[in-house]
Structures are given as C-alpha cells and as structure tokens.
Amino acid sequence: MSERLDVLRLGYRKGRDPRITTHLALVSRALGADGFLLAGDEDQEMFDNLNSVSERFGGNLDTEHVSGLGHLKKHVDGGGVAVHLTMYGEPFRKAIPKIRRDKPVLIVVGGAKVPGDVYKFCQYNVAVGNQPHSEVAALALFMDAWFGESGSERTFSDARLVIEGINGGKLVHDIDDED
Ligand code: SAM
C-alpha cells in the first residue's frame, strides 16, 4: 500500500485563478492524488464542483482549505516529504528516484508569488524543465513520472460514468442504466 499523496496549491486568488486551479485539482484526481489542498482564498464552490466530478466518475479526492506555509511546516515536522515544483529546481527525472516513497508526500505548486520559505521547508525543489511554464503542465508531467502508467491508466471502481476510450465518437457507460 503506497503512502498518501496530496497536492497543495499556494496563493489561490478566487477572482483570478479558479479555472487553472480547477485544472490542477482535476489532474491531481485523475493521476492518483488522495487530496487537493488550497491555500489562499477559500472557494467552497470549487470544492463542490470537484466533489461532483468524483461522484460521477468515481474515486475520492479529499478537498481542504489550509494555511500554506503553516500546513507545509506541519507536514514536514510530522515526518512527511514535501516536493516543491519550481523551474529553479533539480530536473524531475533525476530527482524522483531520490524521493522517499515510504512517507506521506505533499506536492507543492506555486501561485503568482512563491514565498522564499517554501524552498527551504521542502526537502525537494524539482523542475520540469528549467523554463517558466504552467503549474498544470508541471504537475501532470511530475505525477506521470511518479506513478508511471498506473497514474494515467487509473480506473475508479465506484464510478457511475465509465468512459470507454475509442477512436471515433463518445462511448460512456452509465452504470445505473446498465443494472
Ligand atoms: N512567478 C512565480 C514565482 O514566484 O516563482 C511562479 C509562477 S508559475 C506560473 C506558477 C507555478 O507553476 C510555479 O510556482 C511552479 O509551481 C509551476 N511551474 C512553472 N514552471 C515550472 C517548471 N518549469 N518546473 C516546475 N514547476 C513549474
């Protein structure tokens, strides 16, 4: 049984970041995170939307509003592993084999401005290429490398809607209708 993995999004601004932050949470869920933690503004509506995705497509993504640095420090002080995604970090394919998997893992993604303490509190500062791009792209590539195929090929046993991937059209099984 693998240890828990959560994604922490720092510096959320409700007026500006809902779409990209929802995408971060959807990538977290689809690729195998247990929880999505939001620091900054609170946004219950976003959490409700995410819970509705899990109700339809299965799985369970815990959602929680936390204090950013406070939560990070508590996680590390409690023995957890913290991985900060930043373009200034060590290349991710080089870093991943060194990261412990026997402790709960917190993946930290930044917002508009990342406080310097984040770099110090996290044991790993990891880059997905040393160019500025997107937190969604960085998270997806990191999680794909972390979990391998078991991340992106994941299925959710309690799903109501199951998509059968095909080359043309859309094939969606509604389990309720097939009983
Ligand atoms: N200007 C911000 C700062 O103070 O660092 C960063 C803004 S960037 C759009 C938002 C987040 O995307 C970053 O905090 C980081 O988590 C992620 N990100 C962007 N490029 C990345 C890269 N090349 N590797 C890893 N993460 C990256």
Side-chain angles (χ1 to χ4, degrees):
M1 166 116 178
S2 59
E3 288 291 339
R4 185 178 176 88
L5 183 142
D6 290 286
V7 174
L8 168 63
R9 193 311 185 248
L10 298 173
Y12 174 63
R13 300 161 302 179
K14 196 172 178 180
R16 297 187 59 171
D17 303 329
R19 188 171 158 82
I20 197 157
T21 303
T22 300
H23 288 184
L24 273 175
L26 291 173
V27 166
S28 303
R29 172 191 169 275
L31 270 66
D34 299 292
F36 183 74
L37 313 176
L38 199 55
D41 292 344
E42 297 194 18
D43 193 340
Q44 187 55 45
E45 194 185 340
M46 180 190 300
F47 286 171
D48 290 346
N49 288 338
L50 294 168
N51 292 337
S52 145
V53 171
S54 295
E55 272 160 30
R56 282 173 289 144
F57 291 96
N60 175 49
L61 181 75
D62 296 333
T63 49
E64 194 185 346
H65 185 266
V66 297
S67 76
L69 280 177
H71 182 86
L72 172 58
K73 195 160 185 314
K74 200 169 81 181
H75 175 80
V76 172
D77 288 349
V81 169
V83 180
H84 173 215
L85 297 181
T86 165
M87 66 178 184
Y88 303 104
E90 180 179 24
F92 72 116
R93 291 193 183 87
K94 197 171 152 205
I96 281 177
K98 297 188 237 172
I99 301 175
R100 296 184 66 154
R101 287 177 183 254
D102 60 341
K103 304 275 181 195
V105 174
L106 185 68
I107 302 177
V108 182
V109 295
K113 183 140 181 49
V114 179
D117 278 348
V118 173
Y119 292 82
K120 291 188 214 147
F121 291 160
C122 292
Q123 298 99 328
Y124 303 95
N125 288 287
V126 174
V128 177
N130 296 109
Q131 301 293 326
H133 51 79
S134 151
E135 48 269 59
V136 179
L139 180 67
L141 282 163
F142 178 86
M143 288 186 71
D144 184 66
W146 180 262
F147 285 117
E149 274 185 13
S150 65
S152 51
E153 299 300 318
R154 176 176 305 265
T155 56
F156 295 94
S157 57
D158 57 345
R160 179 166 65 77
L161 299 178
V162 177
I163 296 171
E164 192 178 328
I166 51 170
N167 185 39
K170 298 178 184 174
L171 193 47
V172 181
H173 300 280
D174 188 331
I175 301 303
D176 286 349
D177 291 346
E178 292 177 6
D179 282 347

